[in-house]
Each structure stands twice: as structure tokens, then as C-alpha cells.
């Protein structure tokens, strides 16, 4: 199947699974009401069989000014590929929200998402990072690296605040870690995928073309954003909670100097931190994996406690037990997400899979990534859909 037809087939899957019924039926509503946040999927006891990977610190990064918020050197976890995957690479950018003020960033630098001195090690590699063929058939034997997140701005800053003793060097961290990995064999990659979850999913969009530029034209390079499509949405009070937060991130770290010029040339910098305003300018093939009912966005952007002083959204926000009017509001959010992706979905190089589950991050979980865990109404597991897109396999 050629790239153009593949784009249309994937768009068809998107339309079939999301748009076939403009309003959820009673059965779908009952299914949603049984969900419970990140615990909505069956918990599986992986025991000692889970791949555990230790932390590597990039000591040379300090000389390049590529440091965490507190000035410590960045790090990553690397699992070596083998066999047919020996020259293929997955780079996973870790998520963990953002800091949107000096005080917030100072608090953050005293945590594992602000200092490599506090990072736990080893960490689990599951989902797309798994080394088991039965769980991860397309990528199990690839080289895999998880880049630790310690800058608070989706690997995008390049400034500092000497008075507050804060380093905002996310973009330098990304480049320094990539340089280290290139020296460890990634320069010979035949295939490469940059991915990320949540704020790391946003980073995967922002750094996608930078990642692609590291390789020769002979390397097949693509990117995937998992739960990173954060919308510039209105919350239940009529305010824009996430825009207010993003404005704080952009202004605190001076991101106006590092965000894509293709966006900042005609929009304000805060708008250019939202994926909806930048994905159509990404040149590298990009896959968007997201829930139309993203649990993080519902809890923090659509119905945050600050916008809900009466706490009337508590049950809906915490376990998706929502009344009719709340569901109507969330339906509006879902349709806004689909509308924001229309142009993106028409490109013959891009792919997307939008699900209607109350969830956040899907590719690094065994119970959501594993092909055998597709849900009713989904004819393929997420791993198969992503693999079909990456390898441009014909739809059977």
C-alpha cells in the first residue's frame, strides 16, 4: 500500500472508532462509568520478569551547559538491541508535567524530575520498551533509551536564572544525550523512533525534526507523541487553566527563543507550546496516540479544582462518573480535539489513533500496549496499529 492510501486507511480507522456516533450511547456510557483513572485497566503482576534498566549519567554534558534544573548532569536508561534490531533505536522522552514559576521550579529541582541526584534506578521497561516478542512484536529487540526529564519545560528551554540558581536547559539536555547515544552506536541506525509520554509526548513533537536531523537520509526516522496532544481548551469556569499554566512555563524559561519559528512568526509564544499549532509544520513523519477523554487534561485543564470551587466535578474528575451535562461538556472537548487534528490526519506521512477511554499514556504500559489487550470495538491493539504505521504495512 502506498503512503497516501495508508494515510486514508488510518484516517478511516480514526473516524470509525471516534466519529461513528457523535454522542455516546448508553452502553458506552456504562462502560465509561466503570473506568477508574489509571486503574481502569486490569492490573497485572509482572513480578521479577520485568526488564529493569540502570541509569547512565552524561558527565560530559556539564561542559556544554546541558544540565538539570539544579545544575546536575542529565541521564538516560539504555537497553541494547540485538539480532534484527541491533541497528534500530527507540528514544523515549520521559514525562512529568512542567514548572510554571520560579518557586515551582525551585521546588521541582529538589525532586527526581529536577535533579539527577534524586533519580531512581533502575526503572522498568514495559510496553513499547519491553524486550518480550509476545508483548512487543515489532520493537522488542531494538535498542531502547529512556531520557530522564529534569528541566520542567518539555526539553525546550535554553536559559538560566542565576538569582534563583535555576538552569533551564532542556533543549541542550536533549542534544547532549543524543550526542552521547550517537557515540554509542545510534549513528549507525537503520530505523529510529522518537517517542514520549505526556509532557514527554509534547517534547517528542517539539524535538521531532531536531531528532531527524541527526541522521543521514538513509535512516528511516519517525516520531510518536503518546498523550502529548494538550489542547488550548476552555475549562468549566470559562477560563483557560492550561493556557495560564503554559504561559507561566514559557515566560519562566524564556521559551519564546526556542519554540518553532514557523509558529512564533505569526502566533504568540504560549500558543506555540500547544501541539495543535505546531504539528502541521513538523516535517518528520509523526504519529499521535491520545485519548479524546485524556484523564490528565480532564483533571488539570478541563475541570481543575481551581475552576470548580463547589467540587461538583469531583466524581467525574476522579473516576469518570459524570452526569449528563458534564458528559456534554466533555463531548465538546472531544470534538475540539478531533477538529484540531483534521489537517494533520490528511498528510500521507502522519498517523493517529484516538481512543475514547479515560486514560493518559498508553505506549509504556503492558496492559494497554500489548496487542492482546485491545478493547471491545477495537479490531487491533495499539502496538499493531503503531507498527502498521511505522513499517507502512498494508491493511489486510
Amino acid at each position: 500500500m502506498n503512503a497516501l492510501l495508508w494515510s486514508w486507511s488510518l484516517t478511516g480507522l480514526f473516524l470509525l472508532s471516534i466519529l461513528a456516533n457523535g454522542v455516546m450511547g448508553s452502553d458506552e456510557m456504562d462502560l465509561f462509568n466503570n473506568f477508574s483513572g489509571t486503574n481502569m485497566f486490569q492490573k497485572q503482576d509482572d513480578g521479577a520478569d520485568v526488564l529493569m534498566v540502570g541509569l547512565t549519567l552524561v558527565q560530559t554534558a556539564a561542559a556544554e551547559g546541558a544540565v538539570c534544573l539544579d545544575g546536575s548532569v542529565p541521564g538516560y536508561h539504555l537497553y541494547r538491541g540485538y539480532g534484527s534490531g541491533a541497528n534500530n533505536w527507540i528514544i523515549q522522552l520521559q514525562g512529568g508535567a512542567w514548572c510554571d514559576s520560579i518557586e515551582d521550579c525551585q521546588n521541582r529541582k529538589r525532586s527526581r524530575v529536577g535533579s539527577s541526584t534524586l533519580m531512581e534506578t533502575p526503572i522498568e521497561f514495559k510496553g513499547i520498551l519491553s524486550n518480550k516478542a509476545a508483548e512487543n512484536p515489532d520493537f522488542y529487540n531494538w535498542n531502547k533509551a529512556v531520557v530522564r526529564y529534569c528541566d520542567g519545560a518539555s526539553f525546550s528551554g535554553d536559559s538560566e536564572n542565576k538569582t534563583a540558581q535555576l538552569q533551564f536547559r532542556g533543549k541542550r539536555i536533549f542534544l547532549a544525550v543524543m550526542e552521547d547515544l550517537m557515540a554509542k552506536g545510534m549513528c549507525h541506525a537503520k530505523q529510529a523512533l522518537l517517542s514520549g509520554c505526556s509532557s514527554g509526548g509534547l517534547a517528542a513533537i517539539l524535538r521531532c525534526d531536531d531528532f531527524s536531523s541527526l541522521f543521514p537520509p538513509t535512516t528511516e526516522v519517525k516520531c510518536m507523541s503518546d498523550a502529548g496532544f494538550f489542547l488550548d481548551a476552555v475549562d468549566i469556569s470559562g477560563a483557560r487553566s492550561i493556557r495560564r499554566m503554559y504561559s507561566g512555563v514559557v515566560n519562566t524559561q524564556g521559551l519564546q527563543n526556542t519554540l518553532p519559528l514557523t509558529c512564533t512568526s505569526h502566533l504568540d509564544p504560549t500558543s506555540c507550546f500547544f501541539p495543535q499549532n505546531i504539528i502541521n509544520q513538523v516535517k518528520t513523519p509523526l504519529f499521535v496516540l491520545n485519548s479524546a477523554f485524556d484523564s490528565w487534561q480532564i483533571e488539570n485543564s478541563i475541570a481543575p479544582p481551581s475552576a470548580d470551587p463547589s467540587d461538583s466535578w469531583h466524581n467525574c474528575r476522579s473516576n469518570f462518573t459524570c452526569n449528563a451535562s458534564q458528559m456534554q461538556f466533555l463531548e465538546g472537548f472531544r470534538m475540539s480535539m478531533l477538529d484540531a487534528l483534521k489537517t494533520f490526519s490528511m498528510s500521507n506521512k502522519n498517523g493517529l489513533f484516538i481512543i475514547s477511554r479515560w486514560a493518559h499514556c498508553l505506549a509504556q504500559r503492558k496492559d494497554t500496549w500489548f496487542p492482546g489487550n485491545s478493547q471491545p470495538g477495537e479490531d487491533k491493539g495499539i502496538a499493531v496499529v503503531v507498527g502498521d504505521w511505522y513499517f507502512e504495512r498494508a491493511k489486510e
Side-chain angles (χ1 to χ4, degrees), residues 69 93 116 119-120 162 171 192 243 260 272 289 298 302 305 315 341:
L69 286 170
L93 302 179
S116 63
M119 292 175 180
E120 75 280 21
K162 293 182 178 180
K171 189 171 183 179
R243 170 168 275 272
C272 296
L289 172 62
I298 292 172
I302 301 303
N315 289 336
L341 285 163

Side-chain angles (χ1 to χ4, degrees), residues 29 322-331:
M29 180 73 77
C322 310
N323 61 38
S325 63
Q326 290 168 340
M327 283 309 308
Q328 184 177 14
F329 193 95
L330 295 180
E331 271 293 308

Side-chain angles (χ1 to χ4, degrees), residues 11-75:
T11 303
L13 175 63
F14 158 69
L15 292 173
L16 177 64
S17 61
I18 300 301
L19 293 179
N21 298 301
V23 179
M24 286 180 292
S26 58
D27 291 342
E28 190 177 13
M29 180 73 77
D30 290 340
L31 182 61
F32 280 147
N33 287 339
N34 287 328
F35 290 171
S36 181
T38 55
N39 297 320
M40 57 177 279
F41 302 105
Q42 182 179 0
K43 185 177 181 181
Q44 301 184 23
D45 184 6
D46 296 305
D49 199 30
V50 177
L51 177 63
M52 304 296 292
V53 182
L55 178 67
T56 298
L57 296 178
V58 187
Q59 300 293 350
T60 56
E64 302 174 32
V67 292
C68 300
L69 286 170
D70 70 335
S72 59
V73 295

Side-chain angles (χ1 to χ4, degrees), residues 154-209:
S154 289
F155 294 90
S156 293
D158 191 11
S159 64
E160 65 179 338
N161 188 310
K162 293 182 178 180
T163 302
Q165 297 183 319
L166 288 168
Q167 295 292 320
F168 304 127
R169 303 296 186 181
K171 189 171 183 179
R172 291 194 191 189
I173 288 172
F174 174 81
L175 295 174
V177 172
M178 293 306 105
E179 181 181 5
D180 201 64
L181 290 172
M182 293 292 275
K184 291 183 176 179
M186 193 169 71
C187 60
H188 302 299
K190 295 180 179 178
Q191 296 174 306
L193 174 65
L194 177 68
S195 183
C197 160
S198 192
S199 55
L202 171 57
I205 297 172
L206 289 164
R207 303 274 72 80
C208 183
D209 287 340

Side-chain angles (χ1 to χ4, degrees), residues 195-266:
S195 183
C197 160
S198 192
S199 55
L202 171 57
I205 297 172
L206 289 164
R207 303 274 72 80
C208 183
D209 287 340
D210 291 336
F211 182 67
S212 182
S213 69
L214 299 172
F215 300 94
T218 53
T219 304
E220 184 171 18
V221 185
K222 299 185 179 184
C223 306
M224 181 173 73
S225 172
D226 177 12
F229 197 78
F230 298 95
L231 275 185
D232 187 5
V234 176
D235 66 32
I236 58 173
S237 72
R240 292 184 177 268
S241 295
I242 192 168
R243 170 168 275 272
R244 182 169 59 247
M245 179 178 65
Y246 271 14
S247 177
V249 176
V250 169
N251 291 325
T252 298
Q253 298 216 15
L255 300 189
Q256 62 271 13
N257 299 317
T258 61
L259 290 167
L261 288 174
T262 53
C263 181
T264 55
S265 63
H266 64 281

